[in-house]
Amino acid sequence: MTRLAPVIAAVTFVAGVVLPPPGDVTVTPVVSEGRVLASMAAPDAWTVETRELLQIGQLLTFSYDIELRRPSTIWLDSLVARTSISTSAKFDTLTGGYQVSRLRDGRVVRSERREQESEVRQWMTVVEQVQLDPASPLEPNAEYYIRVRMYMSPRRSVTVWPFGRNESSGRADFTYIR
């Protein structure tokens, strides 16, 4: 019985450190002239813990995996288009400013300096009008959906569960009308 006490204490400590997963991602599709744009927001991903990580000079990254899919009743949903957006920020402890950047599929789209934490929070948690480029034209009057999964790096918690704890997701369905 006394040998189990350290194990129980360790499990209780790890369970106490595990934080709830970040909130859902709100996805807004815009379809116009055969183009599909996706906007997303994950305001609940900005927490006291993420702010503290940033304030000590740690590089903070939110990665958004965005997929345009067509549902199927018989088989797996077909993937129509996919892209990845990463937003990152790092606090410069000497100057007191933030260096932020945005990448699309691993290539830098934009990089700049911000002075206010509120601007950095907006930069990290809101991504607007990401164009999804399908390999073939969308079918008129067909159902589609956009699925977004958001990951945070560095991981915000210690967990014994190997997946899913640092992930948020969102989905928006729409009918393509032409």
Side-chain angles (χ1 to χ4, degrees):
M1 182 80 173
T2 58
R3 291 183 185 186
L4 283 176
V7 173
I8 292 171
V11 169
T12 304
F13 173 74
V14 169
V17 172
V18 173
L19 301 172
D24 290 335
V25 178
T26 303
V27 181
T28 307
V30 176
V31 181
S32 175
E33 300 174 10
R35 295 183 338 156
V36 178
L37 303 174
S39 294
M40 62 228 61
D44 293 340
W46 190 266
T47 64
V48 172
E49 291 82 11
T50 57
R51 183 182 181 279
E52 288 172 353
L53 278 173
L54 194 59
Q55 292 301 316
I56 63 170
Q58 180 78 36
L59 177 66
L60 181 63
T61 303
F62 290 172
S63 300
Y64 299 87
D65 290 335
I66 308 159
E67 297 177 339
L68 173 61
R69 292 185 165 268
R70 181 158 185 214
S72 175
T73 55
I74 299 172
W75 196 241
L76 299 173
D77 295 350
S78 59
L79 179 65
V80 178
R82 172 186 286 160
T83 192
S84 174
I85 301 291
S86 294
T87 60
S88 61
K90 184 169 178 138
F91 181 66
D92 186 339
T93 55
L94 293 176
T95 64
Y98 301 86
Q99 183 64 39
V100 296
S101 61
R102 183 159 290 162
L103 286 75
R104 178 172 178 159
D105 296 326
R107 291 183 295 272
V108 176
V109 175
R110 197 166 176 190
S111 182
E112 56 193 56
R113 186 169 169 76
R114 299 286 172 99
E115 298 301 323
Q116 301 296 319
E117 182 182 322
S118 61
E119 295 173 340
V120 175
R121 182 178 58 239
Q122 180 80 5
W123 177 270
M124 298 291 290
T125 61
V126 177
V127 178
E128 294 185 0
Q129 298 192 347
V130 175
Q131 184 169 334
L132 297 165
D133 301 315
S136 60
L138 301 180
E139 292 184 33
N141 303 320
E143 298 291 322
Y144 292 91
Y145 66 91
I146 296 172
R147 181 175 68 185
V148 176
R149 288 178 291 182
M150 197 258 329
Y151 306 91
M152 181 187 147
S153 176
R155 296 186 75 125
R156 71 165 75 197
S157 62
V158 177
T159 179
V160 292
W161 195 249
F163 50 86
R165 295 298 297 172
N166 289 295
E167 175 183 321
S168 295
S169 63
R171 176 180 165 153
D173 297 62
F174 66 93
T175 303
Y176 175 64
I177 299 175
R178 187 170 78 162

